[in-house]
Amino acid sequence: MNETLEKLSTCILEGDSEAAPGLVQQALDDGVVPKTILDEGMVVGMNEVGDRFRRGDMFVPEVLMSADAMQSGLEILRPELVSSGVKLIGKVVLGTVQGDLHDIGKNLVGMMCEGAGFEVIDLGFNQKPEAFIDAVKEHQPDLVGMSALLTTTMRAMGHTIKSLEEAGLREQVKVMVGGAPVDQAFADRIGADGYGSNAVAGSDLAKRLVGAG
Ligand code: B1M
């Protein structure tokens, strides 16, 4: 592997968000193509983060730091990726459901998905079913991801899926759900396509749902 990409991958793993943009820029200046910087530098680091998190060798605060480093590097890389016409592995519309203001976990899922090569359209928190519908119409995503942290707002996930059905949009997207009170049985009950117990599981699931996992 190119030495700068190796440094970049380590920098993501170590959550060094100050160094990441400089290393991305250095790789670009060295003539490395943007997709290679993403796949062979940043995603390699983020995959290692995922592996360590799964093994219990890394915890949420460290994953958040790595996700921040990924974000800061992507600030530099994203315009280059777009202008070089790179096809990402899929598009995710992500949001916290109506009535729910918790967004830390949802942000982490978004960052991991971005790290895995998805374009993420983040609607934010407290999003009505109509907001998801409008976003599906506008952005034509492969996936809709919903997060809920309250037992009282979980049911909004089911309402959103129903609204997607009523709008005739359910067949064109996969739906994944997550958040502390959510589990697989609930996901099955409301007719979601999958449940992610944490951010890494969420991005793994997203990859599987688009056939890239
Ligand atoms: Co609130 N809150 N909160 N809160 N809050 C909880 C969730 C609570 C468990 C605390 C408690 O009582 N022990 C409790 C919920 C009880 C319940 O319903 N079962 C609670 C409550 C009651 C409330 C209020 C009602 C309090 C009040 O006002 N009386 C109020 C509700 C406001 C509202 O939403 N309408 C409220 C408000 C808030 C703050 C705004 C102050 C703040 C949120 C700030 C923010 O998010 N920007 C807050 C916080 C921070 C928490 C706790 C402390 C931390 C949540 C968090 O960020 N965890 C939380 C208690 C706790 O969890 N210890 C609590 C870290 C985050 C990384 O984990 O979000 O679980 P998590 O996400 C994980 C997974 O769940 C998964 O991956 C993530 C990363 O591993 N995941 C997905 C999440 N979404 C996913 C989507 C996927 C896949 C995986 O696919 C799409």
Side-chain angles (χ1 to χ4, degrees), residues 86-172:
V86 164
K87 173 116 179 58
L88 296 168
I89 65 171
K91 204 189 274 187
V92 190
V93 160
L94 190 63
T96 301
V97 294
Q98 184 167 21
D100 200 317
L101 306 179
H102 298 84
D103 68 353
I104 298 168
K106 181 264 299 167
N107 293 345
L108 199 45
V109 173
M111 290 174 190
M112 291 305 295
C113 284
E114 207 161 37
F118 284 92
E119 179 185 353
V120 176
I121 291 122
D122 189 341
L123 303 181
F125 54 78
N126 191 18
Q127 291 300 312
K128 293 181 180 157
E130 301 79 60
F132 286 93
I133 287 170
D134 290 346
V136 170
K137 285 182 181 158
E138 182 184 347
H139 300 286
Q140 302 286 316
D142 306 281
L143 283 172
V144 168
M146 289 183 273
S147 180
L149 261 285
L150 299 172
T151 44
T152 49
T153 56
M154 288 164 74
R155 70 185 74 159
M157 293 176 157
H159 296 154
T160 304
I161 292 178
K162 276 230 150 48
S163 301
L164 283 167
E165 282 166 10
E166 284 162 12
L169 298 169
R170 179 63 184 94
E171 297 303 314
Q172 74 181 57

Side-chain angles (χ1 to χ4, degrees), residues 11-13 24 28 30 48 57 59 76 92 103 124-125 129 131 143 150 166 168 173 193-195 201 203 209:
C11 153
I12 301 292
L13 179 60
V24 170
L28 288 168
D30 290 350
E48 181 61 23
D57 293 336
F59 300 97
I76 306 294
V92 190
D103 68 353
F125 54 78
L143 283 172
L150 299 172
E166 284 162 12
V173 287
D193 296 299
Y195 153 73
S203 68
L209 289 174

Side-chain angles (χ1 to χ4, degrees), residues 8 25 32 42 59 61 68 79 86 132 143 146 154 167 183 207:
L8 182 57
Q25 192 57 59
V32 185
M42 304 176 84
F59 300 97
D68 275 348
V86 164
F132 286 93
L143 283 172
M146 289 183 273
M154 288 164 74
D183 59 17
K207 282 194 268 182

